[in-house]
Amino acid sequence: MIARLIPLDGSPPIDVQKDLIVIGRSEDCDLRIEHKSVSKLHCVLTRTDGLLMLRDLGSTNGTRVNGQRVRRATLLPNDQLHFASVGYKVFIGVADEPAPKIEVEYTQQLNAEDVQRLAKKAETPGDLDSDIDLDIPLLQANSLPDVYPDKEP
């Protein structure tokens, strides 16, 4: 069985070759992640009987699988795995199967000037950059809260 962690930022994949891997920021870790959001001893990844199992070691910023904060989890192929804010995709397969290439999508960030410019264009539908007159609704505030409370499973 081949197990790989494929970074979502396009970095080279990491092969999980040992049966037990300690992940964290400390120099003693088997998989060292140099990021300030990752704890010194963040979590443990265990490979056994064709499965990858994960156990968080009480990390400050948590470990998430498919967006859900977990203390322990069994990882499946194509799961999204985050150690704090550092993301990976889980690949589990046979030896001759190539790892898939990950296409990363980024959220576009807008500064205040861009938002004002878009709001002004939304107020004057005929003043768009294109020849087509589109009916663009006014910008609305997001009704969802900015911060959700973390609920432990």
Side-chain angles (χ1 to χ4, degrees):
M1 172 187 90
I2 290 180
R4 286 191 183 112
L5 299 179
I6 303 170
L8 297 179
D9 66 2
S11 302
I14 300 165
D15 287 334
V16 178
Q17 296 177 343
K18 296 169 63 176
D19 290 337
L20 181 93
I21 295 175
V22 178
I23 299 169
R25 206 177 65 231
S26 174
E27 292 181 16
D28 297 336
C29 292
D30 300 308
L31 173 53
R32 190 169 179 210
I33 301 175
E34 286 290 331
H35 194 276
K36 62 183 177 182
S37 67
V38 176
S39 295
K40 289 181 182 176
L41 294 174
H42 199 90
C43 65
V44 174
L45 195 62
T46 308
R47 186 178 73 162
T48 179
D49 298 330
L51 294 174
L52 279 180
M53 298 186 340
L54 174 115
R55 182 165 184 97
D56 188 84
L57 296 174
S59 63
T60 303
N61 294 315
T63 303
R64 288 183 161 66
V65 176
N66 297 325
Q68 178 70 39
R69 189 169 180 166
V70 296
R71 290 185 183 142
R72 60 184 169 269
T74 301
L75 300 176
L76 299 173
N78 298 320
D79 277 347
Q80 296 282 324
L81 176 61
H82 282 81
F83 308 120
S85 62
V86 181
Y88 296 88
K89 185 172 182 178
V90 176
F91 173 79
I92 302 172
V94 292
D96 19 345
E97 187 177 341
K101 183 175 177 171
I102 303 297
E103 292 185 25
V104 181
E105 295 181 16
Y106 294 98
T107 300
Q108 181 179 0
Q109 295 184 0
L110 299 174
N111 59 29
E113 294 84 23
D114 291 338
V115 172
Q116 287 176 348
R117 183 176 51 82
L118 289 172
K120 186 171 279 197
K121 285 187 178 187
E123 291 171 0
T124 56
D127 191 25
L128 294 173
D129 292 336
S130 71
D131 295 335
I132 303 171
D133 190 15
L134 300 175
D135 184 22
I136 300 175
L138 292 174
L139 295 177
Q140 298 177 1
N142 187 352
S143 61
L144 298 173
D146 291 332
V147 179
Y148 292 95
D150 274 341
K151 293 183 181 178
E152 294 296 326

